Amino acid sequence: MCQEVRKTCKCGQNSAQFHLRDNVLSKEVIVDLYCPNCSDQIEPDPATMVMDNGWVIVYDMDLARFMTMGKLTLDAEQVQPDFLFDMGYACWLEMYPGEKEDVLAERAEIMQLQKTDPSRYLTEISSWNIARIERLKAEGWRKAQAA
């Protein structure tokens, strides 16, 4: 069972849900969150932060190293912010914050085809999903790069 965590950014205008893979880390590992509206207030620090399209996640790297070294038997040098995010140990629940709402709006029209033309629906939903992932890759979202 995987843990889920929600954080509000420093300016309070946005929030994001996080996925903590295999319960290796606790929610306390995610110290702060900055959205594109407030991330310009901080100096990026690759030793403790991950940047993703204007969003910044700040990790407690001492706690992350302690927890991952004990549970995953990793060397301390391996446990970096990029590793935590890219390997799914502390990353967005979705491809990016707010994706669930965006997806519902984007595919609403295609969903109507399911009732009237099921074969066209299958073609359209597949094409839409492929195009959507390519768009997210082009926009630079980290999780989309691995898709």
Side-chain angles (χ1 to χ4, degrees):
M1 178 136 165
C2 296
Q3 234 184 118
E4 194 179 301
V5 177
R6 180 175 290 278
K7 283 286 244 198
T8 300
C9 68
K10 279 297 196 178
C11 71
Q13 294 179 24
N14 294 289
S15 65
Q17 281 187 284
F18 291 87
H19 169 76
L20 302 178
R21 176 181 162 195
D22 300 332
N23 292 325
V24 170
L25 302 175
S26 66
K27 65 182 181 178
E28 291 79 18
V29 166
I30 302 169
V31 176
D32 277 320
L33 177 66
Y34 294 86
C35 75
N37 298 328
C38 59
S39 62
D40 60 352
Q41 301 171 9
I42 59 166
E43 188 67 35
D45 178 7
T48 60
M49 301 174 183
V50 162
M51 283 66 80
D52 192 19
N53 267 5
W55 289 81
V56 177
I57 305 166
V58 182
Y59 297 108
D60 179 336
M61 292 308 299
D62 291 332
L63 180 58
R65 286 188 182 98
F66 175 77
M67 296 180 87
T68 54
M69 287 169 52
K71 294 179 182 178
L72 301 175
T73 61
L74 298 172
D75 292 327
E77 308 86 56
Q78 289 179 273
V79 184
Q80 300 296 324
D82 289 345
F83 172 84
L84 298 179
F85 189 93
D86 296 335
M87 298 305 290
Y89 290 108
C91 64
W92 309 129
L93 178 62
E94 305 160 303
M95 288 280 204
Y96 62 90
E99 179 190 28
K100 187 185 299 182
E101 293 82 14
D102 292 349
V103 164
L104 290 174
E106 288 177 22
R107 71 177 188 177
E109 186 178 320
I110 298 170
M111 295 302 290
Q112 294 302 314
L113 290 172
Q114 191 174 20
K115 299 172 190 165
T116 60
D117 190 349
S119 61
R120 182 169 171 224
Y121 162 76
L122 291 174
T123 303
E124 293 289 328
I125 199 77
S126 178
S127 297
W128 166 78
N129 196 41
I130 291 168
R132 185 177 141 284
I133 295 298
E134 290 305 315
R135 177 177 48 84
L136 295 177
K137 284 181 180 182
E139 290 173 3
W141 290 104
R142 290 179 77 103
K143 284 185 78 172
Q145 303 306 317

